[in-house]
Amino acid sequence: MSGLSKWLKRLVLPFVVTLVALGTGFYALYFRRTPLPPAVIHALVAPAIASLPGLSACWIETGKTFSNFSFGSTAGGILVRHPAGDLLIDTGNSSHFDEEIRSYPFLTWFKLWFLAGQLKPNVPLSEMLRRVKEDPARLRWVILSHAHLDHSGGLMDLPRVPVLLSQEELRFAADPSVQTKGFVIAAHVQKFPAPGVPTLRFDPQPYEAFDESTDLYKDGSVVVVPLRGHTPGSVGVFVNLTPNRRLFYVGDAVDDERGFQERVGKSLVLRDSDNDEALANLIVARLSDLHEKLPELSIIPAHGRSAYKKFFTGGPLSCVSTQ
C-alpha cells in the first residue's frame, strides 16, 4: 500500500501542475483583456422609430461551443422578417468547412480548425431556416457583418441570393494575402458581388453614435452603420422592432459582451484577427459609450451567446416580433 501511495503522489503532482498551466494559459489567451481608453465624446442622433406590423427577428444558430457556460460562443446569424422581403444578417460557417480548410499549411489549418472550426454546423443553414418556416429561395438579401469565413460560409448552403457588402470589404475579401491567411475563403468570394460593384453604400446621415448610415428598407426598421477596424468594411446592423425593443448586431467588433460592458480589447488568441487594431479598439470604445448612454439597446456580438439569450429568450430558432 505504501508503494501505491508514493506512486499516486508522483502521478498527482504532474497532473495538478498540468491543470494549473492549462488554466493559466486559457486565462491569458481568452479571459485576460486590455482596458481601453474612453471614446471621444460624440453626440447621439436619436432616430424616430415606429412599430412596423409584420416585422420580426429570429435567432438562427448553426454552431455553438461551451453552451452551458456564460462564455459560450455561437455562430449563425439573425433572420429579419420584413413585409418588403426578408433579410439574413450573417450566415455562420459552411457545412463544407473541413474540406474548405484542408489545403492550408498545417499551422494555418490548425488555427482555423481550433477557432472557427469549433462552430461549424451540424445542420446546413438552409435547413435551419426551414425550421423557422423560412424558404431560403425567398430571401431578399443577405448582409454580412464582414467577409471572414465563419460569417460568410453559410452562403455555400444557400441558393444564389444578393449579398450586401461595401467596396472596402469587397476589396479586402479579394486580397490574395487575406485569403492565404485563411481569414477569407476564395469559394465564398465567388458568392459576393464583383469587387467593383458594391451593393452597400453609406450616406452622410448621422445615426445614434455614427456619422454615416444606410436605411435598408427606407422605413427605419433596419439601419446599417460602418464599424471599420476588425475588417476595412465591417458593419453593424440596427434592427428596430419597436421604440423599446431594439437590437444592434455588431459582428466581431467585440468578442462578447465584456467588450462593450467593460471597454476591453479582444482576447490575445483573437487579437490578430483585427485588420486594424487601433481602429478596432476605437470602435470598441464607441460601443461601450453607446451602451452606457442606451442601456436598453441590446448589443449583440456575432459570437456572444449570452447576448443572444437575453434578447431571444426562447433560445435558438425563436423569434421576437413587434407584438
Side-chain angles (χ1 to χ4, degrees), residues 186-245:
H188 300 178
V189 177
Q190 299 303 310
K191 298 279 189 174
F192 296 173
V197 190
T199 46
L200 183 66
R201 296 177 177 86
F202 295 103
D203 302 315
Q205 179 65 45
Y207 189 89
E208 296 291 13
F210 305 93
D211 297 322
E212 301 172 87
S213 66
T214 186
D215 185 340
L216 283 189
Y217 292 95
K218 310 303 180 188
D219 58 11
S221 61
V222 180
V223 178
V224 186
V225 296
L227 297 179
R228 304 178 183 100
H230 180 61
T231 65
S234 285
V235 301
V237 185
F238 287 89
V239 179
N240 303 310
L241 298 174
T242 72
N244 299 313
R245 186 177 291 173

Side-chain angles (χ1 to χ4, degrees), residues 130-190:
R130 291 188 184 96
R131 292 183 184 184
V132 293
K133 301 187 180 349
E134 177 70 22
D135 181 354
R138 295 179 63 84
L139 287 171
R140 177 173 177 175
W141 293 309
V142 167
I143 186 169
L144 300 179
S145 64
H146 59 295
H148 282 173
L149 76 165
D150 55 331
H151 297 259
S152 63
L155 290 172
M156 307 303 290
D157 298 314
L158 295 178
R160 197 80 185 184
V161 59
V163 179
L164 303 181
L165 285 168
S166 69
Q167 180 61 39
E168 297 155 301
E169 196 68 3
L170 290 172
R171 190 179 299 119
F172 169 78
D175 186 338
S177 67
V178 173
Q179 295 182 18
T180 298
K181 293 175 182 176
F183 290 132
V184 175
I185 301 293
H188 300 178
V189 177
Q190 299 303 310

Side-chain angles (χ1 to χ4, degrees), residues 62-65 73 75 92-101 108-122 149-151 182 270 303:
T62 59
K64 62 182 179 180
T65 186
S73 291
N93 274 323
S94 166
S95 63
H96 311 286
F97 180 86
D98 289 336
E99 301 94 274
E100 290 173 348
I101 69 169
T108 304
W109 171 87
F110 180 78
K111 183 175 182 179
L112 295 174
W113 172 83
F114 180 73
L115 296 175
Q118 305 311 302
L119 294 168
K120 63 186 179 183
N122 293 318
L149 76 165
D150 55 331
H151 297 259
L270 294 172
H303 302 299

Side-chain angles (χ1 to χ4, degrees), residues 21-34 110-111 114-115 255-256 258 265-272:
L22 288 173
T24 302
F26 191 52
Y27 172 81
L29 287 173
Y30 185 77
F31 287 106
R32 188 176 181 277
R33 313 283 176 88
T34 303
F110 180 78
K111 183 175 182 179
F114 180 73
L115 296 175
D255 286 353
D256 49 32
R258 281 188 62 200
K266 282 193 167 59
S267 59
L268 181 61
V269 71
L270 294 172
R271 197 171 298 164
D272 74 338

